[in-house]
């Protein structure tokens, strides 16, 4: 257990606290005396002297560290920058800087005086404490010698911050950790069956029901596109369904759909060898969904939710589908397979159509490491979104602002449909060569959602390997969009 365990609110003050590491914040231009007032005269003098030596002004890249006494062993004052220039995410980054500094000193417990960090709203308190928490993650499951770099286990908070926000942030952070963990496990461990077991664990929470549909049922259910992908693998594919009833009976659910390719070799259209190991992360969309549902299980929002994960490997086994094959999706559309490596859209096609038909969701969102093209278009700082409903897209952009999980919209104009027309079937699983690859994948998905207000998020660039902002891990999965989606869900509660 190397991850930070939680946030602890205390009634202690700067006068009474005992700690190995005390973090204070200072806005640029604010006088140091306003944040050190509660300290002893000796400690105040040490901090003032250090600030003078370092010409510390409270700029956002500045930090002074002072060694104190037996009660307060270290005091770190973090510059926050100018109040008028600070974004919500800057507060998250400030939390991350504290955590990284304390971990660098191998400290186990830290104390943060929230009153000194200019947290003028609940949103800023949430961002700041999220930054503290989600920076305290590392994945050590496969290290025999569990030498942890993230030593901080407890974060004690002075200044009486809002307890409900702390509860939410602790739950959300653990949800992000779950998403990162399931993603970081290798494909020989994190199989479709493993993901199904994770979903079953969540099924024990109040209001939850988990149902697993095995690959053996796919053809009879009409999930021909999903089945086509699943055929090439020895691991049985699973359609994982999680129903959460926290809202009124009869209220249409919000649907969350995840791509859960536990390994994508490309199938018969085999991928090149270089970096193929990274295709264990092709289930990160499903990890996002599991993470959100973990937060839902803990926080019990008053809302109905349906979560669905299409999970399989994409392998070139003897029974694998071939380029040229034609399959029929759940909604009756026929699809010509021109590249077996464009498998995510095939799995999602059936899951989207199935959920639309069975649950008639009010709104639907899917998460998928769908295209390499989104990395070319947007890099790894921002996820691509596209959809069929302006209001839902606007809600998502707002949740993105709140959570600091950036998104950028790409168009799904009707004329892109020409790119996915097949000569022999209704549609094909490829677009126009190398042109607009992320959009043609989105356009493909659009054929399976009917009139449901829907948004697709392509997280191929953001799900792993993005080391910035500083609250993301240096290696492995990021747990992208868990916090964004929870913010969006909260906004659905009437
Ligand atoms: N899982 C990949 C997309 C991917 C590629 C994610 C690189 C992250 C990094 C997806 O199944 C895929 O192989 N897509 C193809 C589609 C192409 C064949 C139209 C791609 O992007 O190359
Ligand atoms: Mg692929
Ligand atoms: Zn894939």
């Amino acid at each position: 257990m190397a991850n930070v365990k939680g946030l602890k609110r205390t009634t202690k003050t700067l006068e009474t606290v005992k700690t190995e590491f005390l973090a204070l914040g200072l806005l640029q231009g604010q006088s140091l005396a306003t944040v050190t007032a509660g300290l002893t005269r000796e400690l105040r003098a040490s901090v003032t002297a250090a600030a003078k030596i370092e010409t510390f002004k409270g700029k956002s890249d500045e930090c002074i560290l002072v060694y104190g006494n037996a009660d307060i062993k270290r005091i770190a004052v973090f510059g926050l920058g100018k109040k008028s220039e600070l974004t919500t995410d800057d507060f998250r980054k400030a939390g991350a800087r504290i955590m990284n500094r304390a971990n660098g000193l191998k400290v186990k417990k830290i104390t943060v005086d929230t009153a000194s960090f200019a947290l003028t709203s609940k949103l800023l308190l949430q961002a700041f404490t999220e930054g503290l928490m989600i920076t305290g993650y590392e994945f050590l499951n496969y290290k025999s010698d569990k030498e942890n770099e993230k030593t901080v286990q407890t974060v004690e908070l002075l200044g009486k911050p809002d307890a409900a926000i702390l509860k939410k942030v602790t739950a959300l952070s653990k949800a992000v950790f779950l998403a990162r963990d399931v993603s970081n496990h290798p494909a020989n461990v994190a199989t479709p069956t493993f993901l199904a077991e994770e979903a079953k664990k969540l099924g024990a929470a109040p209001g939850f029901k988990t149902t697993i549909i095995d690959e053996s049922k796919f053809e009879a259910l009409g999930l021909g596109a999903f089945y086509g992908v699943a055929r090439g693998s020895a691991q049985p594919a699973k359609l994982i369904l999680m129903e959460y009833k926290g809202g009124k009976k009869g209220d249409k659910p919000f649907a969350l759909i995840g791509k859960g390719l536990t390994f994508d070799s490309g199938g018969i259209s085999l991928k090149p060898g270089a970096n193929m190991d990274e295709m264990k992360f092709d289930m990160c969309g499903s990890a996002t969904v599991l993470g959100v549902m973990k937060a839902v299980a803990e926080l019990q929002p008053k809302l109905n939710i349906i979560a669905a994960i299409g999970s399989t490997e994409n392998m070139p086994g003897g029974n694998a589908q071939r380029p040229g094959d034609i399959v029929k999706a759940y909604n009756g559309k026929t699809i010509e397979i021109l590249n077996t490596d464009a498998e995510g859209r095939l799995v999602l096609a059936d899951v989207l159509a199935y959920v639309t038909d069975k649950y008639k969701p009010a709104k639907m969102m899917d998460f998928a490491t769908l295209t390499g093209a989104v990395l070319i278009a947007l890099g790894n700082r921002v996820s691509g979104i596209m959809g069929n409903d302006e209001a839902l897209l606007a809600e998502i952009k707002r949740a993105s602002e709140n959570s600091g999980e950036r998104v950028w919209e790409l168009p799904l104009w009707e004329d892109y449909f020409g790119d996915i027309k097949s000569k022999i079937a209704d549609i094909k699983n490829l677009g126009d060569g190398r042109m607009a690859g992320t959009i043609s994948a989105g356009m493909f998905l659009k054929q399976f959602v009917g009139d449901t207000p829907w948004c697709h998020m392509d997280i191929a660039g953001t799900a792993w390997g993005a080391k910035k902002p500083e609250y993301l891990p240096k290696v492995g999965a990021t747990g992208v969009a868990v916090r964004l989606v929870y913010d969006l869900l909260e906004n659905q509660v009437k």
Side-chain angles (χ1 to χ4, degrees), residues 59-376:
K59 289 187 189 156
S60 65
D61 55 349
E62 291 177 333
C63 173
I64 50 170
L65 179 68
V66 171
Y67 288 85
N69 57 30
D71 288 339
I72 300 179
K73 294 191 181 152
R74 304 174 186 84
I75 302 171
V77 189
F78 293 83
L80 302 174
K82 290 193 187 126
K83 177 76 189 175
S84 60
E85 290 169 8
L86 292 177
T87 64
T88 305
D89 206 46
D90 286 331
F91 288 87
R92 212 171 271 109
K93 289 175 191 158
R97 281 163 61 214
I98 296 170
M99 204 62 170
N100 283 330
R101 189 72 196 240
N103 279 320
L105 295 165
K106 302 263 172 267
V107 167
K108 288 206 180 64
K109 191 192 114 187
I110 68 170
T111 302
V112 180
D113 183 16
T114 58
S116 67
F117 281 88
L119 306 173
T120 48
S121 69
K122 286 186 183 180
L123 182 63
L124 295 186
L125 172 65
Q126 176 171 343
F128 178 68
T129 49
E130 275 178 2
L132 287 166
M133 281 292 290
I134 63 177
T135 309
Y137 173 85
E138 67 188 332
F139 186 70
L140 294 172
N141 291 43
Y142 298 93
K143 288 276 191 194
S144 318
D145 186 9
K146 289 193 197 277
E147 204 184 302
N148 45 351
E149 282 176 26
K150 303 292 176 87
T151 52
V152 177
Q153 298 287 291
T154 318
V155 178
E156 180 183 57
L157 301 171
L158 305 181
K160 304 200 183 65
D162 186 287
I165 297 288
L166 303 188
K167 180 185 172 205
K168 179 165 89 178
V169 169
T170 301
L172 281 176
S173 304
K174 288 184 179 170
V176 170
F177 293 172
L178 174 78
R180 289 177 183 173
D181 278 349
V182 294
S183 304
N184 286 331
H185 280 298
N188 59 328
V189 173
T191 59
T193 305
F194 176 96
L195 294 183
E197 291 302 322
E198 288 296 322
K200 279 192 210 159
K201 283 187 211 162
L202 296 177
F208 259 77
K209 192 176 115 194
T210 299
T211 312
I212 312 296
I213 300 179
D214 185 77
E215 178 181 335
S216 55
K217 311 271 182 357
F218 285 6
E219 279 185 287
L221 284 170
L223 305 170
F226 190 172
Y227 180 63
V229 178
R231 301 171 49 131
S233 156
Q235 285 290 338
K238 307 283 174 190
L239 171 57
I240 302 167
L241 298 163
M242 284 171 273
E243 274 173 90
Y244 168 73
K245 293 205 165 89
K248 291 193 202 79
K249 215 179 162 197
D251 268 2
K252 288 182 181 175
F254 196 105
L256 303 170
I257 316 289
K259 171 178 173 181
L261 265 286
T262 59
F263 191 73
D264 178 13
S265 72
I268 297 299
S269 313
L270 194 66
K271 285 184 182 294
N275 304 325
M276 204 207 269
D277 58 293
E278 293 189 6
M279 284 299 117
K280 73 170 187 175
F281 290 118
D282 210 17
M283 39 58 68
C284 284
S286 69
T288 298
V289 171
L290 283 171
V292 171
M293 294 313 275
K294 181 170 171 69
V296 166
E298 181 73 24
L299 297 168
Q300 299 276 311
K302 292 189 171 28
L303 183 76
N304 295 332
I305 304 171
I306 165 82
I309 290 169
S311 185
T312 179
E313 292 178 336
N314 184 22
M315 297 289 273
N319 201 31
Q321 72 178 347
R322 297 139 290 242
D325 283 4
I326 296 175
V327 295
K328 189 184 244 179
Y330 183 82
N331 69 351
K333 294 215 161 126
T334 56
I335 306 163
E336 183 186 14
I337 311 298
L338 287 180
N339 187 321
T340 64
D341 196 12
E343 86 297 336
R345 65 196 74 183
L346 297 168
V347 171
L348 288 175
D350 272 344
V351 181
L352 290 167
Y354 184 85
V355 168
T356 298
D357 178 46
K358 297 279 187 208
Y359 300 93
K360 315 264 181 302
K363 300 172 194 176
M364 181 157 66
M365 206 175 161
D366 77 74
F367 310 89
T369 48
L370 204 61
T371 65
V374 81
L375 273 141
I376 308 300

